[in-house]
Amino acid sequence: MYAYTKNILERVSFDPILFCKELEKALKLLLPYEIEQLTEWLLNFTDEKPELRQCLIYINK
């Protein structure tokens, strides 16, 4: 599920609002260890796309 989520997030990264929505959905479905992996990936991914950094607040909920 983690790989699928990553794939979806990469595909919708052109739109920050859609990216946030997909991230919210993913966080409901992923297992705790997958969320940790996704968090690491997101921090690296959003370095290149600072407009998506606003979505990181969903991880800290």
Side-chain angles (χ1 to χ4, degrees), residues 9 13 19-20 23 38-57 59:
L9 290 173
S13 64
F19 187 86
C20 288
L23 179 59
L38 186 67
T39 301
E40 285 182 34
W41 176 81
L42 278 170
L43 291 173
N44 290 328
F45 186 71
T46 57
D47 279 344
E48 301 167 9
K49 299 180 181 274
E51 67 275 9
L52 300 176
R53 279 221 170 252
Q54 66 190 3
C55 301
L56 295 178
I57 61 168
I59 292 175

Side-chain angles (χ1 to χ4, degrees), residues 10-21:
E10 286 172 346
R11 289 179 185 203
V12 300
S13 64
F14 65 90
D15 181 2
I17 294 170
L18 186 56
F19 187 86
C20 288
K21 286 181 183 178

Side-chain angles (χ1 to χ4, degrees), residues 21-33:
K21 286 181 183 178
E22 289 297 329
L23 179 59
E24 268 189 294
K25 284 197 280 186
L27 292 173
K28 292 177 187 174
L29 298 174
L30 293 175
L31 297 172
Y33 77 93

